[in-house]
């Protein structure tokens, strides 16, 4: 069974309230997703359906777009995934390197969400330079340039 609209709406409302109260530069897309600029990256927060009784809050930062995905870079990213305490690097359909972490939505606390956003932002902001050095491409902050 799918997540109900009521449950999705309740989680979106809670997440929106937390984000609005704690992030001055918040961009609200009014569809259950938000963006928060941080350093050379931007953190997306998205509420998604998960199970009949829960939602998932995905925290995602775009690290690098346009990198050449070599075996060396892919291996490095996988090894970093094994080293990091939570979350992981991944590839979008267009080979954009992202860092993501997900939280269950029903029992989400302000502290958990703030901590997840801060951690994803710091990790993406730190590693984007290393990814560019190995595979080229552009950091999120360089896309307008």
């Amino acid at each position: 069974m799918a997540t109900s609209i009521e449950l999705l709406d309740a989680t979106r409302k809670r997440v929106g309230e937390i984000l609005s109260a704690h992030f001055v530069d918040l961009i609200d897309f009014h569809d259950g997703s938000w963006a928060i600029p941080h350093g050379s990256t931007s953190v997306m927060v998205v509420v998604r359906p998960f199970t009949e009784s829960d939602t998932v809050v995905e925290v995602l930062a775009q690290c690098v777009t346009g990198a050449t995905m070599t075996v060396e870079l892919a291996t490095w990213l996988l090894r970093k995934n094994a080293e990091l305490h939570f979350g992981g690097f991944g590839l979008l359909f267009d080979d954009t390197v992202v860092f993501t972490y997900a939280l269950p939505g029903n029992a989400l606390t302000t502290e958990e969400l703030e901590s997840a956003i801060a951690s994803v932002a710091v990790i993406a902001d730190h590693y984007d330079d290393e990814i560019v050095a190995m595979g080229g491409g552009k950091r999120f902050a360089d896309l307008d340039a």
Side-chain angles (χ1 to χ4, degrees):
M1 200 89 185
T3 305
S4 72
I5 295 299
E6 293 82 16
L7 186 54
L8 274 171
D9 288 344
T11 306
R12 287 173 177 158
K13 181 180 181 201
R14 171 87 174 120
V15 169
E17 290 170 352
I18 293 170
L19 295 176
S20 295
H22 294 92
F23 296 94
V24 177
D25 296 335
L26 179 69
I27 300 165
D28 186 346
F29 296 106
H30 303 288
D31 63 355
S33 65
W34 300 263
I36 304 160
H38 183 275
S40 60
T41 193
S42 179
V43 177
M44 294 288 301
V45 178
V46 182
V47 177
R48 299 188 191 280
F50 184 51
T51 66
E52 183 178 323
S53 60
D54 206 353
T55 57
V56 65
V57 178
E58 183 178 12
V59 181
L60 176 144
Q62 181 175 330
C63 296
V64 176
T65 298
T68 301
M69 190 51 56
T70 63
V71 171
E72 176 188 17
L73 179 55
T75 301
W76 184 86
L77 291 169
L78 286 171
R79 290 191 200 286
K80 283 295 167 197
N81 283 348
E83 292 174 16
L84 295 169
H85 300 293
F86 71 86
F89 288 102
L91 292 176
L92 298 181
F93 64 93
D94 64 353
D95 285 345
T96 296
V97 178
V98 295
F99 188 81
T100 66
Y101 182 67
L103 300 157
N106 275 0
L108 184 68
T109 67
T110 300
E111 294 78 16
E112 287 173 322
L113 184 56
E114 284 184 299
S115 177
I117 291 167
S119 296
V120 167
V122 166
I123 289 168
D125 192 29
H126 174 79
Y127 286 111
D128 59 2
D129 294 318
E130 291 186 49
I131 296 166
V132 168
M134 290 192 316
K138 292 186 174 188
R139 303 172 310 157
F140 178 81
D142 300 329
L143 291 177
D144 292 332

